[in-house]
Amino acid sequence: MFGTKSFRQQFPIFQHHPNLVYLDSAATTQKPKMVIDGITNFYQKENANIHRGIYDLAAQTTQKYESVRQKVAEFIGAKHQSEIVYTSGTTASINLVAHSFLLPRLEQGDEVLVSAMEHHANLIPWQMACKQKGAHLRVIPIDQAGNIDLAAYKKMLSAKVKMVAVVHISNTLATINPIEAMIEMAHQKGIPILIDGAQSTAHSPIDVASLDCDFFTFSGHKIFGPTGIGVLYGKATHLAAMSPYQFGGDMIRTVTYQDATYAPAPQKFEAGTTNIAGVIGLGHAIDFLQQFDKKAIALFVKELGAYAREKLLSLNDLTIIGNAQHKTGIVSFVLNNVHPHDVATFLGTANIAIRAGHHCTQPLMDFYEIPATSRASFSIYNNRAEIDFLVDEIKGIQSFFAV
Ligand code: PMP
């Protein structure tokens, strides 16, 4: 049923662009009608600010906003809804942890570990914290195929390490990292670990309680929800110990001209009027996803990726970047003598939407000694016919540039 014509009808974008071959879901997913309608419905029938109003509309909206928190908690297996902080996205979630959790604990000479395949969002916040404190950011190596070197990681976990931050699924390489083992290894040394789940939450079953990670982050727009909303999961003990990152309305307990006391987590991290419609939309996105078996989604997307790889590998003068043992439905590739931007431009004229560039992983491009890749990424509305079309068009590009 995924990828079929009738399934695609749930996504209005394909009615407005009947010929669109959308292969850029790692950048953002398309939105199902029920999410779009849910947001429209909220603004048309339910709009009010939360937490402050006493009238019915405000009380109902507050109740709905908070019920989504419980929904998120269940969706990712958090023990308690107070461990769910609404943010504007993965980037904001990671910045919050770097600022409020790590910085106060970090001292000169300490170390923070990230992997060689991190998105800039899970690299620069730690880099900045290390620079401020005279600490060192160390990079867990990967092999040429894109597998994390677990033996090297184990050796790097010294008493100097104050934090590990690692991506669950690489947006560039498609690698599914062995986060269970990485979390366990960090914890054996008493080191907290954050998992960047931006690419995994849409199509991997996530259970933060059994994973036992300290923090987990994801973005609404990559799980069929709206932009501008995301989640930070943090263990209750960590969130309780962390100071707020932003200050203002809705995050306080008491305020005088001289001083303020703060609300408990998660409210102390949600200053000001938050993205209420975004939260409502996120709730609908989770309802949408919960209709399906997460394992079935993961398998479908993985199989599309494997099919695309197989077909692309049959072409000459094409190299796939990212050949890890465990991977999902993302394929990065480079063509000999054709720049990825030219590939994306040509494919764009055939209504095929792919991404070309460094994918916010510039150091990873340096590792592979390439400036950029073309990247096709798949989701539940894609199908094999679209991949066949992609491959045919790539053949066309190759013959055009061969002339
Ligand atoms: N991490 C990964 C692996 C990503 O793919 C992305 C988005 N491309 C991010 C972090 C950042 O997510 P956002 O832009 O939604 O904050």
Side-chain angles (χ1 to χ4, degrees), residues 26-28 88-94 117-122 167-172 196-200 217-222 228-230 330 355 359-361 375:
T28 197
S88 64
T90 303
T91 303
S93 300
I94 297 171
M117 65 178 86
E118 297 309 321
H119 187 281
H120 297 162
N122 199 30
V167 70
H168 189 180
I169 295 185
S170 162
N171 62 310
T172 303
D196 170 359
Q199 293 296 340
S200 60
T217 62
F218 69 93
S219 300
H221 73 100
K222 292 193 201 276
I229 184 70
I330 295 174
R355 179 59 73 93
H359 316 295
C360 298
T361 53
R375 180 190 71 186

Side-chain angles (χ1 to χ4, degrees), residues 100-101 104-105 235-243 265 268-269:
S100 292
F101 179 77
R105 289 167 175 73
K235 281 187 178 170
T237 45
H238 293 326
L239 294 183
M242 285 159 61
S243 298
K268 69 177 170 183
F269 301 113

Side-chain angles (χ1 to χ4, degrees), residues 68-213:
V68 173
R69 209 186 291 278
Q70 178 60 30
K71 196 171 278 187
V72 174
E74 283 165 22
F75 178 60
I76 62 168
K79 283 188 193 133
H80 199 272
Q81 55 161 334
S82 63
E83 296 175 313
I84 304 299
V85 182
Y86 294 134
T87 66
S88 64
T90 303
T91 303
S93 300
I94 297 171
N95 274 279
L96 170 53
V97 177
H99 195 274
S100 292
F101 179 77
L102 181 66
L103 261 183
R105 289 167 175 73
L106 197 63
E107 287 172 13
Q108 194 170 7
D110 284 345
E111 294 179 357
V112 175
L113 305 189
V114 294
S115 84
M117 65 178 86
E118 297 309 321
H119 187 281
H120 297 162
N122 199 30
L123 171 64
I124 310 174
W126 312 116
Q127 208 177 65
M128 290 306 297
C130 288
K131 276 187 193 167
Q132 268 190 42
K133 293 293 181 92
H136 306 290
L137 189 74
R138 299 193 60 207
V139 180
I140 308 157
I142 58 172
D143 64 18
Q144 206 60 27
N147 297 293
I148 285 210
D149 183 341
L150 278 184
Y153 170 62
K154 193 169 184 186
K155 281 195 200 132
M156 292 168 84
L157 290 166
S158 74
K160 287 184 190 164
V161 178
K162 291 287 143 60
M163 182 93 208
V164 177
V166 70
V167 70
H168 189 180
I169 295 185
S170 162
N171 62 310
T172 303
L173 302 177
T175 308
I176 304 172
N177 282 318
I179 54 164
E180 295 83 355
M182 295 185 79
I183 293 165
E184 203 181 318
M185 285 157 80
H187 284 171
Q188 274 165 9
K189 298 288 174 85
I191 302 166
I193 177 164
L194 175 144
I195 303 298
D196 170 359
Q199 293 296 340
S200 60
T201 309
H203 39 72
S204 311
I206 304 291
D207 190 327
V208 289
S210 65
L211 279 172
D212 197 31
C213 53

